[in-house]
Amino acid sequence: MNTILAFGASSSKNSINKKLASFVAKKIVTYEALIIDLNDFEMPIYSEDREKKDGIPKKAIYFKKLINESSGIVISLAEHNGSYTSAFKNIFDWISVIERIVWSDKPLLLLSTSDGKRGGITVLNTALKRFSRQSKFEIPHFNLPNFYENFSEKLGVTNYELSKELETQIEEFKDQIDTLLHT
């Protein structure tokens, strides 16, 4: 199945990052969008001792299965204190022990947004630097500042220039998926 796995890297029930990731994944109409909520993957805080004692949680294994079964992954990163949210970091830590290539060589589209003028740019840059080390592709990315001024749930990104930039990044992401599926 040609599926785009998408999530906001936040545990907020009303996550603006989840809204952005959902909107973007649904724009890619040639693929089915599978939107997940990180709250469904809450598990113990990762530690080597816990892994040795209890093994890898079933929720981590299932999360990794969703990655492996997807054609591409859309992640919109929420920024907490200049870094990943603890919910995302914990899942990332668990899935990184399942398989060395965390995102399974799938094309990624990284996004970030916040209600401020920087739009989570620090966490986006951190993720780009980290995830690029394991990616076959140049990772398309997009930062949306001032979410409530620049986004509508019905229209999506309402700022013309930002909308055009997002479209460019989505096209690059789709091209990467098509390349992967046809090789």
Side-chain angles (χ1 to χ4, degrees):
M1 183 183 310
N2 293 331
T3 303
I4 302 297
L5 178 65
F7 59 91
S10 167
S11 59
S12 170
K13 288 288 186 191
N14 296 309
S15 170
I16 60 177
N17 281 280
K18 184 177 179 184
K19 290 176 184 178
L20 180 60
S22 297
F23 170 77
V24 168
K26 290 173 184 173
K27 279 185 71 69
I28 306 169
V29 295
T30 52
Y31 296 90
E32 180 182 339
L34 175 60
I35 314 301
I36 60 173
D37 188 322
L38 291 194
N39 291 299
D40 296 333
F41 296 91
E42 191 171 316
M43 57 193 116
I45 295 172
Y46 175 79
S47 75
E48 287 181 26
D49 294 337
R50 179 170 278 127
E51 180 188 357
K52 286 176 187 170
K53 180 179 177 257
D54 300 327
I56 297 170
K58 289 179 183 176
K59 289 180 180 184
I61 293 167
Y62 182 62
F63 194 96
K64 184 63 175 167
K65 180 179 185 281
L66 293 175
I67 290 169
N68 288 334
E69 292 175 351
S70 72
S71 300
I73 305 161
V74 175
I75 306 171
S76 189
L77 298 147
E79 186 173 287
H80 286 189
N81 299 315
S83 190
Y84 308 122
T85 65
S86 56
F88 175 73
K89 179 66 166 83
N90 192 49
I91 291 169
F92 183 75
D93 289 343
W94 276 113
I95 64 174
S96 73
V97 299
I98 296 171
E99 191 174 57
R100 191 179 69 76
I101 305 297
V102 175
W103 304 111
S104 303
D105 286 329
K106 305 295 176 148
L108 293 172
L109 174 55
L110 294 181
L111 313 167
S112 69
T113 192
S114 76
D115 59 357
K117 64 183 176 183
R118 291 182 39 81
I121 193 70
T122 301
V123 72
L124 180 62
N125 287 334
T126 299
L128 277 170
K129 184 176 179 181
R130 171 63 185 91
F131 300 165
S132 291
R133 292 192 304 236
Q134 290 188 336
S135 182
K136 290 181 174 182
F137 302 99
E138 184 92 14
I139 299 174
H141 56 280
F142 174 75
N143 170 257
L144 181 65
N146 301 310
F147 179 82
Y148 295 105
E149 294 172 27
N150 291 314
F151 189 86
S152 156
E153 291 196 41
K154 288 184 180 181
L155 304 173
V157 177
T158 56
N159 175 291
Y160 178 77
E161 289 185 19
L162 291 171
S163 178
K164 288 306 232 181
E165 174 59 25
L166 177 58
E167 290 298 328
T168 299
Q169 299 305 308
I170 290 171
E171 285 304 314
E172 184 176 335
F173 177 62
K174 287 179 2 186
D175 289 347
Q176 290 175 358
I177 294 171
D178 291 342
T179 297
L180 186 66
L181 293 176
H182 296 106
T183 55

